[in-house]
Structures are given as structure tokens and as C-alpha cells.
Amino acid sequence: MITLTTTEELADYCTRARQHPYVTIDTEFLRERTYYSQLCLIQLAMPGDSDNDAVLVDPLAGELSLEPLYDLFRDTSVVKVFHAARQDLEIFYFDGKCFPTPLFDTQVAAMVCGFGEQVGYETLVKRIVNEPLDKSSRFTDWSRRPLSDAQKTYALADVTHLRTIYESLAANLDKQGRRKWVEEEIQVLTRPETYVIQPNEAWKRVKTRTNSARFMAVVAKLAEFREGYAQARNVPRSRVYKDDALVELASAKPANIGDLGKLRLLLREARKGDIAEGILKAVAAGLKMPAEDAPRPDRSREKLMVNPALADLLRVLLKTKSERAGVAQKLIASAADLDLIAAGERDVAALSGWRGEVFGRDALRLCNGEIALAAKGNDVAIIQL
């Protein structure tokens, strides 16, 4: 098992990888104690059977620069293959400010190819590679050195089997003419806004039960302070204060350190020092905010006039169409999407793109009374009216 620990070694590997149509990539990281993921290991594999075709890259070794890898990411002649790429891409975006192009996500491809919803890597290894996968090292501490042989073997398996999985799924997609479906789905993965949380928008992540302008203004300022503090110090937002404590703060509206000491949910560390000072300033700023400037949660969906019978019919149609197409239902439309359609909304992802071809067109025809559904043995027939 080869571990690359220098920039020169990584550059040499990436140069060789450019001679191939694709490279498979995975990472091991920790995030329990930080805001941003701590990258601990990178696994790379190019097509081939030799020992140096699949390698480990140790970003914790010395002054190793990942720039050769980012140059490979920018090379559009080589497909970069991941499984469930979102967390990996977040790490690389914040570190290198770039996304792998072109990108292929085998989890998305597997859903398009009928392997079920959010299918795991281990399942694909069993079903496509026909081999078991040892996951015993999954939750080990990847920041500790030296890595054990078991850890290295586990890590390499995440990219070596991925080669067979990618080739199988890519061939399946090409045979069915569905590669563009996957390309549509992964577009969101290569948008910076998918990963960057602006502190002034952090309030949207906090669940509340009130629309009070004053309350929401304080929630917004408390969430903004917490996000900015967590980002600047690279600590989990829950280490600053958790959501339930944030809501308690917004309700109690403390004016001084003594008031903070009376709260039930606030962590002891947050009752003093920089966090306490930030909380009091955020509460004061929220109370001074004009009502018209206070954020308001989007409650529009709660007021939708959903036709329950039509929503049920849409669910039957979705199940029928997804089974015929061999595509996971949730990839086509969520339960919320169906309720929106049944309430008359038309700006819904399930009605456009490849989803429109598979489900959306008939969904609209069903809503317009142009087709009906009827039981036909164990199947459902679509009847033109």
C-alpha cells in the first residue's frame, strides 16, 4: 500500500492519472470538534491492477500541497468519480476553492439505475462487485498517526471497488440514455452556495413556532453571531450554543450577565467571556431592529390548499412511474413536491427536466383530468380520458 507524503509524489501520480479516462476519489475526515471538516486522508485510484494505481495521500504529512490534485480536478478530460460526494466536495471547496470537473457521483447514478434510495457504498460493492466489504475501521480516528494496516486496507477499498462500480453504472446509464439525468442531479454539488453558510442567513436553519417580528429579529441576530463565531474559531456551532438554547435566549431576551445565569439550556462556557458578550449584543441588536426588517419564516406551504384525493393519486402515479423507469421514487419527487402539485403549484422540480419526462407530464395530465388510474392485476393502468 503506497502512501504519498510529498507534493512531488502527488504531482507524479496526478500526471499519470491524466492518461486515463477517470480517477476514483474518497476522503477520510473528522468533524466532531470543528466547524470545518479536518481532512485526514485522501484515497485515489486510476484504472489498472498494479500496486501504484491506487494510493493514499496523507495531507497531515509535512508540507504536502494539494495543488497537483486541484490541477487534476480542473482537467476536464478526466472524470472524477466519488460516492456520495457532498462532504468530500465541501472539504475540497473550502481548501482549494475548486470543484472536480467533470464529476460523477455513483450514489446518484445508482438511484437513477434503480438500486434504491440513498444506496450505500457497501450495498453497491456487494451487488456489482460481488465482494464483501470490511467496515470495521469506519469510525476510527483518522487523525492519529501512524495509520494501521487495517485502516489503510479499508480506505483503499473505498476507491478500488469504486472503479468497477463506476464502469458498470456508466455503461448502464449510456445503454438507457440517462447520463444527462445524473449530470442534472449533480449540478447542485458544484455550486458554492451549497456549502457556504452566510451568517446573516443562518436563522433559516433554526426551527421556531412563532412569526413574531421581535422574536424572529432576536433569533436572526443570535444565529448570525453564533455562525460567525463558529466559523472564525473553527468550532461546531453546537459548542457555542445549541438551537434549543438559542430559542430560549430569544424568548428570555437577557439584558445582562445575571440574566444569562438564570437560563436553563445555555452551556456554562457561554455564560461568560466572548460568547456571553456576543449574546447580549445580539439580543440588543435584535430588539432594536425595525419590525419591517425582521426576517419571516416561509409559511406559504402551511397555507396550501392541498387536494388530498389528488395528492393520493399522485403518489400512486409516482410509484407506478418510478417502478417502470427503475428510478428511486424520492429522486423523482418528495412527498412535499406531490402536495405542492396537488395544491396547484407548478414551479416544482418534479415537473421539469428528466423528472418531467418520467413523471411530471403525466402528473400534470392527471391534475387536468386528462388521464385516470385504474387497477390492472398487480399493476396500475394509465387511462386516457
Side-chain angles (χ1 to χ4, degrees), residues 35-318:
Y35 182 92
Y36 301 103
S37 296
Q38 179 189 0
L39 180 61
C40 299
L41 193 68
I42 304 170
Q43 304 96 278
L44 302 170
M46 63 181 84
D49 297 320
S50 67
D51 291 340
N52 61 359
D53 289 329
V55 299
L56 304 175
V57 180
D58 190 352
L60 303 183
E63 298 299 321
L64 172 69
S65 169
L66 296 182
E67 193 55 37
L69 179 63
Y70 297 140
D71 284 341
L72 177 61
F73 281 3
R74 300 180 188 102
D75 187 339
T76 58
S77 69
V78 183
V79 178
K80 273 63 74 172
V81 182
F82 293 77
H83 180 82
R86 186 179 180 119
Q87 288 183 301
D88 302 314
L89 298 190
E90 180 180 7
I91 293 171
F92 291 132
Y93 174 73
F94 282 118
D95 184 74
K97 294 296 182 290
C98 71
F99 291 110
T101 307
L103 170 69
F104 189 97
D105 190 321
T106 55
Q107 185 176 71
V108 175
M111 288 192 284
V112 170
C113 292
F115 283 84
E117 296 165 1
Q118 302 296 320
V119 60
Y121 181 69
E122 184 177 6
T123 299
L124 292 181
V125 172
K126 289 180 180 178
R127 295 178 62 179
I128 295 178
V129 188
N130 295 317
E131 289 189 20
L133 191 65
D134 179 11
K135 303 294 285 185
S136 59
S137 297
R138 181 178 182 182
F139 296 110
T140 57
D141 185 349
W142 291 98
S143 67
R144 297 186 64 179
R145 294 294 183 273
L147 296 173
S148 68
D149 288 343
Q151 285 178 302
K152 293 179 181 179
T153 299
Y154 163 86
L156 277 178
D158 279 347
V159 288
T160 53
H161 294 316
L162 194 56
R163 295 178 295 196
T164 303
I165 292 169
Y166 165 67
E167 291 175 3
S168 175
L169 292 175
N172 193 327
L173 291 171
D174 289 338
K175 181 179 179 180
Q176 298 184 68
R178 294 181 178 180
R179 188 176 282 262
K180 287 189 177 296
W181 295 14
V182 175
E183 292 172 357
E184 278 187 44
E185 288 306 299
I186 63 177
Q187 284 179 3
V188 68
L189 294 176
T190 55
R191 295 172 185 163
E193 55 267 29
T194 299
Y195 309 100
V196 178
I197 299 175
Q198 300 296 341
N200 63 350
E201 296 182 352
W203 65 271
K204 297 177 181 178
R205 302 171 62 94
V206 181
K207 295 182 180 180
T208 65
R209 297 181 178 180
T210 177
N211 285 333
S212 164
R214 175 171 290 189
F215 176 82
M216 287 307 304
V218 177
V219 166
K221 287 300 181 180
L222 286 168
E224 181 177 356
F225 164 70
R226 180 179 67 172
E227 203 71 24
Y229 185 96
Q231 289 178 353
R233 290 160 178 79
N234 194 24
V235 297
R237 62 176 66 87
S238 61
R239 290 275 297 275
V240 186
Y241 41 82
K242 297 181 180 180
D243 282 1
D244 55 358
L246 188 154
V247 173
E248 183 185 37
L249 285 165
S251 299
K253 302 175 181 63
N256 52 55
I257 295 294
D259 291 341
L260 292 179
K262 300 174 184 177
L263 298 176
R264 182 171 61 91
L265 300 175
L266 196 62
L267 295 172
R268 182 178 300 174
E269 294 79 5
R271 300 169 189 259
K272 58 186 177 181
D274 292 343
I275 298 179
E277 182 180 346
I279 288 173
L280 296 176
K281 287 182 178 179
V283 171
L287 292 175
K288 292 178 182 178
M289 185 184 297
E292 60 270 21
D293 293 338
R296 298 189 180 278
D298 183 5
R299 308 287 190 190
S300 59
R301 292 193 176 190
E302 297 176 5
K303 300 177 181 179
L304 288 174
M305 299 298 292
V306 179
N307 181 331
L310 180 56
D312 287 342
L313 287 173
L314 287 168
R315 285 170 173 77
V316 174
L317 178 65
L318 175 62

